[in-house]
Amino acid sequence: MIEPDFSKGNGLVPAIVQDIETKEVLMMAYMNRQSWEATLKTGKATYWSRSRKQLWLKGESSGRFQLIKDIFIDCDNDVILLQVEQLGGAACHTGYRSCFYRKLSGKDFVEVGEKIFSPEDVYK
């Protein structure tokens, strides 16, 4: 069976997350073998948090889970593409639909994304 090659990135592979319907890129995170296996087992996106150094079930604290619909792997087996149903409409912890809510305009980045919720209300 083809599997992600976790040896290339010191045990981590990038996971690009895309909305199954709109194809919008929602976020990018990292997965290790444990988060990969948890994702396959539960059908919910689980990542490895580099800052907290622990498994991170997306939506565990916000209720905005990512339900796995399709999984792709690149030709080198070192990048995963997850197509998900994003519950609650927002993937970003800042409240925006996508983590990529800022676009370069001239010499600065401007907010162009849709804000769905207030982080202060969700993460108390």
Side-chain angles (χ1 to χ4, degrees):
M1 177 179 146
I2 296 173
E3 291 191 317
D5 187 350
F6 296 104
S7 68
K8 290 183 183 176
N10 294 322
L12 299 176
V13 296
I16 300 164
V17 185
Q18 183 181 47
D19 184 279
I20 186 71
E21 295 295 323
T22 68
K23 307 305 185 222
E24 178 181 17
V25 175
L26 299 176
M27 57 180 278
M28 196 287 292
Y30 290 92
M31 297 179 93
N32 63 7
R33 181 167 301 283
Q34 189 179 7
S35 64
W36 168 250
E37 290 172 358
T39 297
L40 295 178
K41 181 179 178 181
T42 65
K44 293 180 180 176
T46 304
Y47 306 106
W48 177 256
S49 171
R50 296 180 302 161
S51 58
R52 293 176 288 192
K53 299 191 182 342
Q54 66 183 34
L55 284 183
W56 159 37
L57 171 61
K58 181 68 174 167
E60 190 169 33
S61 39
S62 69
R64 290 170 165 80
F65 294 96
Q66 294 174 339
L67 304 181
I68 302 298
K69 297 301 179 182
D70 283 315
I71 299 176
F72 296 84
I73 194 164
D74 79 327
C75 57
D76 294 323
N77 301 335
D78 59 4
V79 178
I80 297 166
L81 171 63
L82 302 175
Q83 290 186 332
V84 303
E85 176 185 349
Q86 177 64 60
L87 300 184
C92 188
H93 73 281
T94 63
Y96 286 87
R97 171 151 174 74
S98 168
C99 292
F100 299 97
Y101 63 91
R102 297 172 292 188
K103 178 180 177 181
L104 186 62
S105 177
K107 294 184 178 185
D108 203 3
F109 284 91
V110 294
E111 293 180 6
V112 295
E114 179 185 5
K115 192 155 194 171
I116 306 293
F117 71 90
S118 168
E120 295 79 23
D121 295 337
V122 174
Y123 305 108
K124 296 178 181 180

